[in-house]
Amino acid sequence: MSTTTETRRITTAKAMAEGIGLEMQRDPNVFVMGEDVGAYGGIFGSTTDLFGEFGADRVIDTPISETGFIGAGIGAAVEGLRPVVELMFVDFYGVCMDQISNHMAKIHYESGGNVKVPMVLMTATGGGYSDAAQHSQCLWGTFAHLPGMKVVVPSNPYDAKGLMISAIQDDNPVMYMFHKGGQGLVWMEKNPRSIGEVPEESYTVPIGKAAIAKEGSDVTIVTLSLSVQHSLDVAEELEAEGISVEVVDLRSLVPLDKETVLESVGKTGRVLVVDEDYKSFGLTGEIAAIIAETDPGLLKKPFSRLAVPDVPIPYARPMEYGILPTRDKIKAAVKDLMA
Amino acid sequence: MGELDRLAMYTQMVRIRQYESRIMQEYHADKSPAWDIGAGLIPGEMHLAAGQEPAAVGVCAHLKKGDAITAPHRPHHFALAHGVDMNKMTAEIYGRTGGLCKGKGGHMHLFDPENHFSCSGIIAQGLPVACGQALAFQRKGTDNVAIAVTGEGAANQGAFHESLNLAAVWDLPVIFVIEDNDWAISVPKDASTAGASNADRAAGYGMPGVRVEDNDVEAMYEAAGAAIDRARAGDGPSLIEIHTLRLFGHFEGDAQAYRPELATVNERDPIPKYAATLQELGELTDDQIASIQADADAEVDAAIEFAKASPEPAPEDALLHVFA
């Protein structure tokens, strides 16, 4: 029998659920609702084991009725509860965007700050497993574009738990956008970084503060979500080839931690933004604008970006991997910057 | 159900009518000679509820502290009947810092958390929010109810049907109130809606559905009382459709050329009709009619003065309140 305490390693999905569970223990106003969040535990594991611990009264399976139950989350939040609502795939935004954009995100502003909407809307994003055009999008740029909601995009188990706890405690509506491929699911190919060390106790990760996932001196990769995992893999490979890559994990898009981005870009003078969302009118252009508005002289090489090239996500594997920001494309883009 | 107070209901209807009539005057007062929707002391769209007073008054006579209302784009009658402060509401309509929302909302986005009153300018989309308020009341163990108001045109929205289903499947204390004023802007109900009565749709969700005819405030009072009692008792949602009357246009500036029955709207005005009923019952004198009107005039004039005296927001105030 061993007497040493091994560091506990869990999946991102389990870490999310643990964050929710700790908040449910702490605050009776917190409850969960969504499609298949109950006995199933969330299709992507975000509510694993919560049903067993808290029961059907606090982990509520809803009808397939996103306008109805997201609106109900808003109404409950307005009345002082703290709902954690799941939109199963972010791609389903089309059937409930009025509640999200016109209600969840605007009520505080429209009311002149008199009505708060302390609600978390968590949703699965991303492709890479041939789920095609209506089940593989990221769309975080769309939500970040619309004022009034915070947008959180965790890349690893530790942050997933701490950001979830911060999101539930936040008095604002928070879109919590997790990547299916980063959940550590047993039924989907996963990066080893989808399982990581996570303390058992409660802790927060501040919303609006980027992380330097890896320090480096030659090139900055600004990225988020599953692309952080890919970028770290690439950075480690390139280290052996003598290229020092700094990886900035944004962790949230709203608020966006411009200072950390600019500081890193100022240090390396070379930047690649990697985004699994659509290329045009999105995050990559936004980062370019921030650099240009601040000081174009920060860059020693022209700005570089890698994102989905403005096509819907295709089904067949060769085509899907042809347009996703894969490791080989990230690596090639970094090498181009160093050429 | 409480005791029917006819005089109080009449007084409330007169108060609302005076408000809508004066806002109409104020709205148009400085929009000539060239009528510009964005000009004047009250800019933007203006949807007035004159003629629809029975819907609000019949329902709100039963409400108590803590009960919620989500109103649509035409909200003034429900706001006033539910106790929203007339001064602050008017200042909001004038876009002033003393308004309910400090000038950020305007007449379609009135928020009064003290009275759990809110609006949505997107038709039927206030209904899911009302379901959530009802869910909160249910979870907190109170007997408060949520009133979800919408027009008959909104009853063809998905949000309407999703809300009815959700409320029914979770036994939520919601009362869906449909104001059927015959016109979805310019489209008549028979051209937009399958079935003559939206009350019949309630059966599809296993909840009671009642149709109130003739814009009758007392029939509305009875129907609402039964529905609210049922919700307070934990027996779930109900739906009431009242056949009401849009005395004015869809919005101010609407010439209503599409409306063949326009010539007879004043004959169908519910307020003189109710006054006549109360006079026949011996419950309303000519003197009372005059004094109720005078009180309403004075209250509304004071609210408009309050609004005009309230400062305008500074341009940079636009940057406040995005986040808490």
Side-chain angles (χ1 to χ4, degrees):
Chain A
M1 201 171 121
S2 169
T3 53
T4 57
T5 308
E6 283 190 25
T7 307
R8 192 184 64 138
R9 294 172 62 80
I10 61 174
T11 64
T12 305
K14 179 67 185 153
M16 278 178 70
E18 202 169 271
I20 298 168
L22 286 166
E23 283 300 288
M24 291 177 77
Q25 287 171 8
R26 188 187 63 80
D27 182 352
N29 287 326
V30 178
F31 69 101
V32 181
M33 60 178 168
E35 292 157 4
D36 307 291
V37 298
Y40 195 106
I43 297 300
F44 304 106
S46 55
T47 57
T48 304
D49 296 335
L50 295 180
F51 187 78
E53 184 178 355
F54 298 99
D57 180 55
R58 291 185 71 192
V59 186
I60 304 169
D61 278 324
T62 63
I64 300 172
S65 181
E66 289 85 358
T67 286
F69 71 77
I70 291 173
I74 295 164
V78 160
E79 292 296 336
L81 301 185
R82 290 192 174 260
V84 179
V85 182
E86 180 161 279
L87 173 62
M88 187 188 291
F89 287 78
V90 72
D91 311 73
F92 303 167
Y93 74 136
V95 298
C96 53
M97 199 56 163
D98 189 75
Q99 287 300 323
I100 296 171
S101 171
N102 269 329
H103 293 81
M104 185 182 85
K106 286 183 186 168
I107 285 174
H108 182 264
Y109 185 83
E110 285 178 318
S111 73
N114 290 327
V115 180
K116 292 189 176 74
V117 187
M119 164 174 171
V120 179
L121 184 57
M122 58 182 177
T123 188
T125 68
Y129 62 103
S130 287
D131 225 1
Q134 298 174 344
H135 292 76
S136 299
Q137 300 169 99
C138 289
L139 294 175
W140 38 60
T142 300
F143 294 89
H145 179 69
L146 299 166
M149 52 195 145
K150 295 189 175 179
V151 178
V152 166
V153 280
S155 72
N156 62 68
Y158 180 91
D159 287 350
K161 178 173 171 178
L163 285 168
M164 177 59 80
I165 292 171
S166 292
I168 295 170
Q169 292 178 359
D170 203 296
D171 278 344
N172 295 286
V174 179
M175 290 293 301
Y176 184 106
M177 307 183 76
F178 59 93
H179 198 296
K180 287 161 274 179
Q183 288 291 83
L185 303 169
V186 295
W187 48 277
M188 194 179 286
E189 184 197 348
K190 59 183 166 291
N191 190 299
R193 300 179 201 275
S194 301
I195 300 173
E197 290 180 19
V198 176
E200 291 191 35
E201 67 272 16
S202 182
Y203 62 90
T204 58
V205 170
I207 298 174
K209 187 83 192 95
I212 304 296
K214 180 190 167 299
E215 285 192 23
S217 54
D218 295 327
V219 176
T220 297
I221 298 179
V222 176
T223 187
L224 72 170
S225 191
L226 185 66
S227 295
V228 174
Q229 299 186 7
H230 299 332
S231 297
L232 288 171
D233 293 342
V234 169
E236 285 176 5
E237 286 173 33
L238 288 173
E239 201 77 23
E241 299 178 30
I243 300 173
S244 175
V245 179
E246 180 147 300
V247 179
V248 176
D249 178 356
L250 290 172
R251 298 200 292 196
S252 69
L253 296 188
V254 181
L256 184 67
D257 183 357
K258 299 176 186 179
E259 291 72 25
T260 297
V261 171
L262 291 167
E263 202 173 304
S264 179
V265 172
K267 181 170 78 173
T268 62
R270 298 178 186 89
V271 65
L272 167 68
V273 184
V274 180
D275 184 13
E276 198 186 311
D277 203 352
Y278 302 119
K279 182 176 180 180
S280 297
F281 312 102
L283 173 69
T284 56
E286 187 62 29
I287 299 292
I290 289 165
I291 294 168
E293 283 172 343
T294 306
D295 180 5
L298 291 173
L299 294 179
K300 293 187 279 202
K301 282 290 185 77
F303 176 86
S304 175
R305 58 174 161 168
L306 182 58
V308 173
D310 300 333
V311 296
I313 311 297
Y315 165 65
R317 198 174 296 116
M319 288 194 289
E320 184 181 22
Y321 277 84
I323 55 99
L324 289 176
T326 51
R327 292 179 188 81
D328 55 338
K329 294 194 198 82
I330 297 170
K331 193 172 187 175
V334 173
K335 286 189 160 180
D336 281 352
L337 277 171
M338 292 303 293
Chain B
M1 204 186 300
E3 197 153 319
L4 173 66
D5 185 342
R6 293 191 171 98
L7 200 59
M9 293 208 299
Y10 174 75
T11 303
Q12 186 68 274
M13 291 207 293
V14 170
R15 179 175 175 259
I16 293 166
R17 174 64 57 84
Q18 180 60 22
Y19 190 80
E20 298 297 66
S21 301
R22 285 286 285 118
I23 293 294
M24 184 198 209
Q25 289 173 354
E26 289 284 307
Y27 180 80
H28 289 289
D30 50 5
K31 287 187 175 59
S32 57
W35 199 85
D36 172 359
I37 189 170
L41 282 175
I42 307 177
E45 284 185 68
M46 179 55 64
H47 313 82
L48 297 172
Q52 299 186 189
E53 296 89 352
V57 171
V59 171
C60 294
H62 299 284
L63 299 184
K64 63 178 186 180
K65 193 78 188 164
D67 291 335
I69 298 182
T70 63
H73 58 290
R74 194 184 310 283
H76 299 173
H77 53 329
F78 273 92
L80 292 172
H82 193 43
V84 172
D85 184 277
M86 190 190 281
N87 287 351
K88 290 183 187 170
M89 174 174 154
T90 310
E92 185 59 34
I93 292 169
Y94 278 76
R96 303 304 175 98
T97 54
L100 285 171
C101 311
K102 307 182 181 80
K104 286 228 165 68
H107 115 98
M108 278 192 279
H109 313 104
L110 302 169
F111 289 85
D112 177 8
E114 196 184 324
N115 285 300
H116 302 257
F117 182 88
S118 65
C119 304
S120 172
I122 312 292
I123 63 160
Q125 295 287 347
L127 275 53
V129 177
C131 288
Q133 292 177 294
L135 177 66
F137 300 152
Q138 187 186 60
R139 295 184 70 79
K140 290 174 178 177
T142 74
D143 70 346
N144 282 121
V145 301
I147 310 295
V149 187
T150 197
E152 93 287 347
N156 299 316
Q157 282 280 15
F160 171 82
H161 294 276
E162 290 194 32
S163 298
L164 262 60
N165 181 67
L166 199 67
V169 85
W170 289 350
D171 286 327
L172 297 176
V174 189
I175 295 89
F176 298 98
V177 175
I178 303 176
E179 298 180 279
D180 174 9
N181 65 16
D182 294 324
W183 297 99
I185 305 186
S186 66
V187 177
K189 190 180 186 186
D190 63 4
S192 67
T193 305
S197 169
N198 282 306
D200 294 343
R201 289 175 159 180
Y205 300 99
M207 71 174 77
V210 175
R211 167 102 175 161
V212 172
E213 298 293 353
D214 299 326
N215 210 13
D216 181 339
V217 67
E218 291 195 16
M220 188 63 183
Y221 175 86
E222 293 298 323
I228 291 167
D229 282 353
R230 179 181 142 83
R232 291 206 200 286
D235 294 331
S238 303
L239 183 153
I240 304 166
E241 179 170 68
I242 179 170
H243 189 201
T244 189
L245 175 71
R246 203 185 75 198
L247 210 47
F248 303 163
H250 164 69
F251 46 28
E252 288 310 298
D254 173 6
Q256 304 194 78
Y258 52 83
R259 200 168 165 183
E261 36 67 74
L262 195 60
T264 65
V265 287
N266 288 331
E267 295 164 26
R268 287 176 280 147
D269 186 336
I271 293 181
K273 271 166 67 177
Y274 195 49
T277 301
L278 297 195
Q279 292 207 292
E280 277 171 35
L281 289 169
E283 296 190 17
L284 184 68
T285 64
D286 287 345
D287 284 350
Q288 281 175 308
I289 290 176
S291 73
I292 288 166
Q293 185 64 53
D295 288 349
D297 294 355
E299 186 189 6
V300 174
D301 285 350
I304 289 170
E305 285 310 306
F306 176 89
K308 288 178 174 172
S310 177
E312 288 195 306
E316 58 269 27
D317 290 351
L319 303 180
L320 304 175
H321 308 307
V322 177
F323 290 110

